[in-house]
Amino acid sequence: MLLTDSVRQIKNIGEKRVEQLAKLGIFTVLDLIEYIPRDYDDRSDVKTISELAPDEVHTFKATTGRAETMGVGGKTVTKIKLKDATGEIDAVWFNQPYIKHNFKQGSEYIFTGRVQLKYGRPQIEVSDYEITDKELLSNGIIVPIYPSTYKLSQKTLRSIIKDTLHQISHLVEDYLPDTIKQQYTLCDKRFALHNIHFPESNDSFFVARRRLVFEEFFLLQLTLFRMKGDIKSKKDGVPFAPVSVTPLQDMFAYTLTRAQATVLDELMTDLQSGYVTNRLIQGDVGSGKTAVAMLAAYVAIQNGYQAVLMAPTDVLAVQHFHSFVPYFEKLSLHVVVLTGSLKQKEKRQVCAQIANGEAQMIIGTHAVIQTAVEYHKLGLVITDEQHRFGVRQRAMLREKGTNPHVVVMTATPIPRTLGLILYGDLDISIIDELPPGRQKIDTSAVTSAYHERIYTFIKSQLDSGRQAYIICPQIEDDEEEGAKKAVLSYTAYLSEQALAGYTVDCVHGKMKNDAKQDIMTRFSEGHIQVLVATTVIEVGINVPNATIMLIENADRFGLAQLHQLRGRVGRGADKSYCILVSDAKSKISKDRLKVMTQSGDGFYISEKDLALRGPGDFFGTRQHGLPELKIANLYRDMDILKEAQKAAEQFTTASLGTFVFPPSWQRNEFFTI
């Protein structure tokens, strides 16, 4: 039997079991032994009957005696006498009369359950048991508890995994080099797998977990270095000649901040180096990433190349188009926009201009990477809101030219070390300050009991000529359709009652692009006073006159997302406000919203978001194409992450070419790009 074999090859696994395991994402022998427990129940402290304390859960060994079943208050109660050398106790089961047939009188079993005093006598409500003449799976040991097991019981899954580990232990390959294991005091892979499933002790568990977490981070980092090495090895990257950006920069109504100037210098050095530029520009909402990207595009065009900017939505693409046009057209540079919502005739015209080189600056959605789009001479690729694109999409855009330079931008603030994981194939630049004059947005977290006061405040702002966003609550079931219904019904309520007499309209993800764009345009031009929306407006709309962001059911959003939404206001000269409404009672929900009221620093907020709720889908790793981490936790395991990064860097410098990645790793989309 091989690790890559189907679970069908495992003894005592039939078709029904194969189907059940497939529901858990377990298809091969390797999938099975790497199906990591989500929790553990320490039942290794085995007591005697005399040591059992009331109102506590205990594990103990005892010999079974007489069994009886009786009716009590409409229930059946089955009792079995248990005894050891120190005393006796009754084991009880409710409404399970068949249970007495599972025991052989006079045999020794090990039991786990809660002890209670009934009529002055102790008894135990048994939650688990097994006979002691077989290898223990659920009692007397540290017991693994696996993620949702479909129609498989925990005990059955433990049995399958334990038997399989015994059968194939000799086949397990240890991919970590001996030098790395010795330097970082890491245990053998076989020991780690056995002890992550069935820990011999608490110490053994922690040793095993550290080894497996380290391995995941090490392999991930090696893959990123491999990608980065491939990119850096393309020394035929076009070295752009130095170009003065003064003609464009002088047109800006502001002076670049220190952080913007630093990042621009880093970018210019890259573009002139002869290597393919591959840089991430990370900056908070409103920090001026687009201005830096615009200057880089200007340099590319002045060098005789085309530049393309890819945005995740039509709305954001069109907004970028309107930002670029006033500057570039004054410099006689031709800008086009290419989105899915364009009519076929318009698309053909734009594609023709791209192909013949007439279009120098191309802005669009994923439409810019479609097969039909051919570039005349692509030299610079820019992607905005990088977290919304997969690794493959970015690679497809890069392949539209001959080793074009690559710049990616994100407003999702990520601690630098974690950025190295998510964007390990990129050099990272951070714009860590906002332009002068940017006002602090007053943020409040209140309950729905404040709605009347909130609406009164919104009216006062509208009467002063301002505008407002209202974000509808997320709907968990059938999210898109539910969100649409919520937006429509809430818009009707506001128009007819709460904000009657004001112009209220809505936008949601199920709208056609041209309808969505029309609403956004009318809002930005001031024809709509209140825009009710789903998170479709999280990015891609710039309305300096909007001063209020009201977010309903704010506890349903991640802090990074709330911060992005809040960044839609505070873009003009007037004081702006963000109001978070939540009736959530849990302490963690209240703590998270409190962070929003205390800070406007996106980096601080992202750190807190991680600390309070864990990484979860914070980084959208599936969108990046990153392999799913089975055991490592990007936040909790930061110390191990740093060690693994250091080890991978040392190993890469010495001999990356000699390393053979595990087959499961090589199959991942992320690895193959």
Side-chain angles (χ1 to χ4, degrees):
M1 184 165 56
L2 302 175
L3 294 178
T4 52
D5 283 346
S6 165
V7 288
R8 286 184 178 85
Q9 304 302 315
I10 299 172
K11 188 179 177 182
N12 298 326
I13 290 189
E15 285 304 312
K16 185 177 179 181
R17 285 277 185 268
V18 169
E19 290 178 14
Q20 291 169 335
L21 290 168
K23 293 282 187 181
L24 304 178
I26 299 172
F27 302 96
T28 67
V29 176
L30 184 60
D31 292 337
L32 181 67
I33 64 174
E34 291 187 346
Y35 192 65
I36 305 299
R38 64 171 171 81
D39 204 353
Y40 298 85
D41 188 359
D42 190 352
R43 301 177 186 175
S44 60
D45 184 12
V46 181
K47 304 283 190 184
T48 63
I49 289 177
S50 65
E51 292 175 320
L52 304 182
D55 299 320
E56 292 184 16
V57 175
H58 293 289
T59 298
F60 64 98
K61 291 180 182 178
T63 302
T64 54
R66 180 171 51 85
E68 60 177 337
T69 299
M70 63 195 78
V72 179
K75 297 179 181 178
T76 61
V77 180
T78 300
K79 285 187 180 183
I80 299 180
K81 293 284 185 186
L82 307 178
K83 63 179 180 179
D84 67 6
T86 68
E88 294 184 355
I89 192 170
D90 287 335
V92 297
W93 290 264
F94 294 98
N95 295 324
Q96 299 177 66
Y98 57 85
I99 202 81
K100 62 183 180 183
H101 302 300
N102 293 355
F103 295 93
K104 183 179 178 183
Q105 190 169 341
S107 295
E108 186 183 58
Y109 293 79
I110 187 164
F111 298 87
T112 296
R114 181 173 293 279
V115 177
Q116 294 184 326
L117 286 176
K118 292 289 184 180
Y119 310 109
R121 288 174 54 82
Q123 67 178 32
I124 183 166
E125 291 184 16
V126 177
S127 57
D128 211 341
Y129 64 90
E130 56 194 315
I131 197 162
T132 58
D133 62 1
K134 296 180 181 177
E135 189 171 19
L136 297 174
L137 287 170
S138 303
N139 298 279
I141 61 172
I142 299 174
V143 180
I145 299 169
Y146 294 94
S148 176
T149 51
Y150 189 54
K151 292 183 179 178
L152 284 168
S153 69
Q154 290 284 339
K155 192 176 287 188
T156 299
L157 193 55
R158 288 173 202 142
S159 178
I160 293 171
I161 291 175
K162 194 158 198 172
D163 288 347
T164 304
L165 281 171
H166 285 316
Q167 289 178 53
I168 56 81
S169 183
H170 63 288
L171 297 175
V172 173
E173 291 188 62
D174 199 331
Y175 288 92
L176 284 185
D178 289 338
T179 52
I180 297 293
K181 288 192 292 183
Q182 291 167 7
Q183 183 177 352
Y184 292 93
T185 322
L186 300 168
C187 70
D188 177 77
K189 180 67 174 283
R190 295 177 185 86
F191 178 89
L193 281 174
H194 278 285
N195 280 275
I196 205 65
H197 288 288
F198 302 99
E200 296 165 11
S201 65
N202 283 329
D203 287 345
S204 296
F205 163 75
F206 288 115
V207 167
R209 186 181 184 280
R210 179 172 177 271
R211 155 60 205 248
L212 295 174
V213 168
F214 185 101
E215 180 177 310
E216 276 197 321
F217 283 144
F218 181 78
L219 290 172
L220 178 57
Q221 200 64 56
L222 272 191
T223 307
L224 293 166
F225 283 142
R226 173 181 173 273
M227 289 175 63
K228 196 166 189 175
D230 287 347
I231 292 162
K232 288 295 185 185
S233 68
K234 295 174 182 174
K235 297 188 178 181
D236 54 348
V238 181
F240 286 173
V243 170
S244 171
V245 295
T246 302
L248 175 57
Q249 199 169 328
D250 284 349
M251 295 169 66
F252 293 163
Y254 49 84
T255 302
L256 294 185
T257 64
R258 173 199 54 79
Q260 282 176 305
T262 299
V263 171
L264 181 62
D265 286 345
E266 291 171 346
L267 201 46
M268 293 303 110
T269 300
D270 287 348
L271 295 173
Q272 296 167 29
S273 70
Y275 291 94
V276 174
T277 300
N278 212 37
R279 184 167 293 276
L280 168 73
I281 300 177
Q282 179 184 319
D284 212 342
V285 177
S287 61
K289 299 179 296 299
T290 304
V292 174
M294 193 181 289
L295 291 165
Y298 176 77
V299 170
I301 294 168
Q302 292 302 313
N303 271 272
Y305 289 86
Q306 292 170 303
V308 60
L309 188 158
M310 182 167 71
T313 65
D314 281 28
V315 171
L316 185 53
V318 171
Q319 179 182 305
H320 278 310
F321 174 72
H322 289 308
S323 297
F324 273 70
V325 166
Y327 297 104
F328 277 37
E329 291 204 340
K330 286 180 183 176
L331 296 168
S332 300
L333 305 178
H334 186 43
V335 186
V336 296
V337 63
L338 181 62
T339 65
S341 59
L342 288 180
K343 293 180 171 60
Q344 285 303 316
K345 183 179 178 182
E346 294 172 316
K347 282 184 184 176
R348 284 194 297 271
Q349 290 174 341
V350 171
C351 287
Q353 292 175 352
I354 294 172
N356 65 26
E358 182 184 342
Q360 296 163 291
M361 180 74 224
I362 300 97
I363 299 172
T365 57
H366 63 277
V368 300
I369 61 175
Q370 291 174 351
T371 307
V373 183
E374 293 184 8
Y375 291 82
H376 177 69
K377 195 178 181 184
L378 183 59
L380 176 65
V381 168
I382 304 166
T383 56
D384 194 14
E385 291 305 327
Q386 163 62 16
H387 68 292
R388 297 191 169 211
F389 292 112
V391 174
R392 187 171 294 282
Q393 285 175 305
R394 197 176 78 217
M396 287 170 66
L397 182 54
R398 192 172 64 223
E399 288 162 6
K400 287 291 185 180
T402 305
N403 299 337
H405 298 289
V406 176
V407 175
V408 298
M409 304 188 293
T410 182
T412 301
I414 301 164
R416 192 180 186 96
T417 307
L418 297 183
L420 291 174
I421 281 290
L422 289 177
Y423 305 108
D425 58 324
L426 306 174
D427 296 309
I428 297 179
S429 292
I430 298 177
I431 301 179
D432 55 4
E433 63 179 323
L434 295 177
R438 180 97 179 186
Q439 292 196 44
K440 178 179 179 292
I441 302 166
D442 283 354
T443 305
S444 306
V446 298
T447 67
S448 57
Y450 281 76
H451 266 130
E452 288 306 315
R453 291 171 63 179
I454 293 169
Y455 295 142
T456 299
F457 179 64
I458 291 175
K459 289 175 184 177
S460 70
Q461 288 288 300
L462 301 181
D463 290 341
S464 299
R466 310 290 166 248
Q467 292 165 273
Y469 296 99
I470 299 180
I471 305 303
C472 252
Q474 280 184 320
I475 308 296
E476 292 173 350
D477 297 327
D478 188 8
E479 187 169 327
E480 281 193 28
E481 187 59 37
K484 172 186 172 183
K485 290 178 181 176
V487 165
L488 294 175
S489 60
Y490 196 16
T491 302
Y493 166 73
L494 293 171
S495 299
E496 298 165 10
Q497 298 183 53
L499 298 177
Y502 296 91
T503 310
V504 182
D505 214 327
C506 67
V507 63
H508 54 78
K510 285 212 162 185
M511 278 180 151
K512 290 184 177 179
N513 283 326
D514 54 353
K516 196 186 302 179
Q517 186 61 54
D518 177 61
I519 294 288
M520 297 289 201
T521 300
R522 289 197 292 121
F523 183 64
S524 64
E525 292 176 352
H527 303 304
I528 296 171
Q529 293 173 286
V530 179
L531 182 63
V532 185
T534 57
T535 54
V536 70
I537 60 93
E538 180 185 343
V539 296
I541 186 167
N542 181 33
V543 182
N545 191 49
T547 57
I548 293 183
M549 171 62 70
L550 168 60
I551 304 174
E552 301 284 1
N553 284 18
D555 56 285
R556 303 248 185 115
F557 299 89
L559 293 188
Q561 194 175 28
L562 289 175
H563 182 63
Q564 287 269 18
L565 288 167
R566 177 169 62 182
R568 295 303 102 201
V569 296
R571 291 170 168 257
D574 299 302
K575 183 70 179 170
S576 292
Y577 307 86
C578 179
I579 304 165
L580 308 173
V581 178
S582 170
D583 290 326
K585 306 294 184 188
S586 72
K587 183 178 185 300
I588 190 167
S589 293
K590 291 178 179 178
D591 286 347
R592 290 174 64 245
L593 296 184
K594 187 177 180 182
V595 170
M596 291 296 299
T597 66
Q598 293 174 333
S599 177
D601 182 340
F603 289 89
Y604 171 81
I605 288 169
S606 69
E607 293 264 21
K608 284 293 185 181
D609 204 12
L610 278 168
L612 289 168
R613 71 170 182 159
D617 195 39
F618 176 82
F619 297 114
T621 50
R622 288 185 183 173
Q623 289 173 308
H624 289 284
L626 288 177
E628 190 174 349
L629 299 175
K630 294 180 179 178
I631 187 168
N633 180 300
L634 287 170
Y635 177 75
R636 187 175 61 202
D637 298 317
M638 181 65 72
D639 289 343
I640 304 176
L641 167 59
K642 289 176 180 177
E643 285 186 322
Q645 285 179 322
K646 182 179 177 182
E649 187 172 5
Q650 292 170 338
F651 188 76
T652 301
T653 304
S655 57
L656 177 58
T658 64
F659 188 82
V660 179
F661 286 82
S664 59
W665 203 262
Q666 294 182 38
R667 289 195 302 268
N668 190 275
E669 170 195 0
F670 178 66
F671 183 90
T672 56
I673 293 173

